[in-house]
Amino acid sequence: MSILVTGGAGYIGSHTLIELINQGYKNIISVDNYSNSDESTYARVKEITGVSVKKYAIDLTDKKSCTRLFEEEKIESIIHFAAFKSVPESVENPLAYYHNNLGSLVNILDCCREYSCNQLIFSSSCSVYGNSKELPVTEETVLSKPESPYAQTKFFGEQILMDAVKAYSNLRVIILRYFNPVGAHKTGLNGEPASETPNNLVPYITQTAAGLKEQLQIFGGNYNTKDGTCIRDYIHVSDIADAHILALSYLSKMDKQIDILNLGTGNGVSVLEVVKSFEKVNNLSLNYAIVDRRDGDVEAVYANNSKAIKLLGWYPKYGLEEMMKSAWKWQLHLAENN
């Protein structure tokens, strides 16, 4: 029996491959179409673990390709990361996000039903909470209107899964709502894929520090927060990966068909606080400016993570300074190898 990791060449997917291998899992299959990643990621996974992961270059929105994969491999469990993830890009091109993020999920669920794969972990997002009036948010918090097409795809993805488990009694699903994954592997050998135009805060910080970007733009300085900038719950990517390994074990003993867990540190941190932490721990000075707000961004969101702690026995290990140190270490590694 095999574990399928979709989007395995991506940021969180590759770190989860590393943790699966380190925890002794053997039959691991990775699928990626490399739209937001690169096949070279697997070489980094091998450098860290000594293991070559079996991989397929497949677009999961193509039903025939998806079906062939399930025909060739006896898949027992799925960790489904594969999705487009940029808020501003989703605002500019919403149809691409609906097609990719929801089409791939529907195809996977069809194959799960046809080929008796009954365990799935779904990569969701704190963006489903929208501009919540309740902070920190719990899994029981009433969801506000999603602020972007990306957030809508995660909301609809959760709804699809809730309907699927009603129809297919053998299916077991864990929905993991990530907050803001940042940082890199402790070796500095794997991190967020390099991009000429990063969509996330920390890669933009590291590229600005490295001189690849002239200036870091902070979107909005007049929010109703402690320093006017957005509040987020930043969590180390390796802590996110650890949670997936624990969730795999929990799936097999879960007493319900579907459950939802927040993955965050429980701490709300402003964009400016992230910038200042990066400058402090790496002894660097960043050129940054506060500019107009960006469409699709929520003002503040951070997690109550007590449910994941209770059910999975999961605790975040890394603090903000460690996140910023590892992100810079990864940026230096990229510079040395390009």
Side-chain angles (χ1 to χ4, degrees):
M1 292 289 192
S2 298
I3 299 168
L4 174 64
V5 179
T6 74
Y11 179 39
I12 307 175
S14 61
H15 283 84
T16 301
L17 290 177
I18 291 166
E19 294 307 320
L20 283 167
I21 294 166
N22 287 342
Q23 292 296 321
Y25 287 88
K26 302 295 184 185
N27 300 318
I28 306 166
I29 301 163
S30 179
V31 167
D32 208 297
N33 67 357
Y34 310 123
S35 58
N36 287 321
S37 59
D38 190 273
E39 192 173 5
S40 64
T41 303
Y42 297 117
R44 299 198 299 271
V45 172
K46 184 178 181 180
E47 186 176 1
I48 293 169
T49 65
V51 173
S52 294
V53 175
K54 188 173 187 179
K55 60 186 184 295
Y56 288 83
I58 289 176
D59 185 339
L60 293 169
T61 64
D62 179 63
K63 181 62 182 301
K64 290 182 179 179
S65 297
C66 193
T67 300
R68 280 198 301 271
L69 171 66
F70 278 77
E71 287 176 347
E72 292 177 19
E73 303 287 350
K74 182 64 176 175
I75 297 167
E76 180 181 38
S77 303
I78 300 171
I79 304 176
H80 182 44
F81 295 110
F84 293 160
K85 63 174 187 174
S86 166
V87 167
E89 185 180 70
S90 77
V91 173
E92 294 171 5
N93 196 358
L95 295 185
Y97 270 68
Y98 288 118
H99 171 74
N100 184 77
N101 293 7
L102 299 179
S104 60
L105 176 61
V106 169
N107 285 343
I108 285 171
L109 288 171
D110 263 344
C111 289
C112 283
R113 177 178 54 84
E114 187 172 351
Y115 295 93
S116 300
C117 175
N118 296 322
Q119 296 186 347
L120 187 145
I121 298 171
F122 179 65
S123 168
S124 190
S125 165
C126 65
S127 63
V128 300
Y129 291 111
N131 272 307
S132 178
K133 295 179 180 179
E134 177 186 334
L135 291 173
V137 292
T138 75
E139 293 82 358
E140 302 302 319
T141 297
V142 176
L143 304 185
S144 302
K145 178 182 178 295
E147 292 293 314
S148 69
Y150 164 72
Q152 285 279 24
T153 67
K154 291 303 182 182
F155 172 79
F156 288 140
E158 291 189 7
Q159 299 305 305
I160 288 168
L161 289 165
M162 290 175 187
D163 289 336
V165 297
K166 291 176 184 176
Y168 312 129
S169 60
N170 291 327
L171 184 62
R172 296 290 183 273
V173 175
I174 295 178
I175 294 169
L176 297 178
R177 289 175 178 163
Y178 312 153
F179 282 69
N180 289 70
V182 297
H185 192 264
K186 61 185 179 182
T187 61
L189 299 176
N190 191 48
E192 196 157 0
S195 170
E196 290 186 9
T197 308
N199 291 309
N200 297 326
L201 173 63
V202 175
Y204 223 112
I205 287 175
T206 60
Q207 288 191 24
T208 303
L212 301 175
K213 299 294 180 189
E214 182 179 347
Q215 186 181 70
L216 168 69
Q217 293 185 329
I218 297 174
F219 297 102
N222 59 351
Y223 287 100
N224 185 28
T225 61
K226 50 191 167 185
D227 58 23
T229 64
C230 290
I231 300 289
R232 296 291 184 269
D233 189 336
Y234 297 93
I235 181 165
H236 198 287
V237 65
S238 293
D239 281 329
I240 292 278
D242 284 342
H244 286 79
I245 315 306
L246 295 167
L248 270 179
S249 297
Y250 179 61
L251 261 175
S252 62
K253 59 187 178 184
M254 200 163 66
D255 60 0
K256 57 179 73 173
Q257 276 193 267
I258 191 166
D259 211 346
I260 300 172
L261 302 175
N262 284 338
L263 295 184
T265 64
N267 299 315
V269 179
S270 76
V271 172
L272 272 178
E273 286 175 324
V274 173
V275 170
K276 296 300 181 183
S277 176
F278 180 87
E279 290 180 323
K280 176 185 174 183
V281 299
N282 296 304
N283 195 27
L284 293 166
S285 181
L286 288 169
N287 178 28
Y288 66 87
I290 296 175
V291 299
D292 291 341
R293 296 185 183 190
R294 184 174 61 177
D295 288 342
D297 284 339
V298 302
E299 179 172 278
V301 63
Y302 55 97
N304 178 321
N305 61 8
S306 60
K307 187 174 178 182
I309 290 171
K310 178 182 178 181
L311 296 182
L312 302 184
W314 171 80
Y315 295 88
K317 301 172 186 173
Y318 300 96
L320 183 62
E321 291 191 355
E322 291 168 299
M323 299 178 209
M324 295 302 104
K325 284 180 183 177
S326 65
W328 182 234
K329 191 175 182 180
W330 165 241
Q331 183 67 55
L332 294 176
H333 173 77
L334 288 174
E336 291 170 0
N337 290 273
N338 289 332

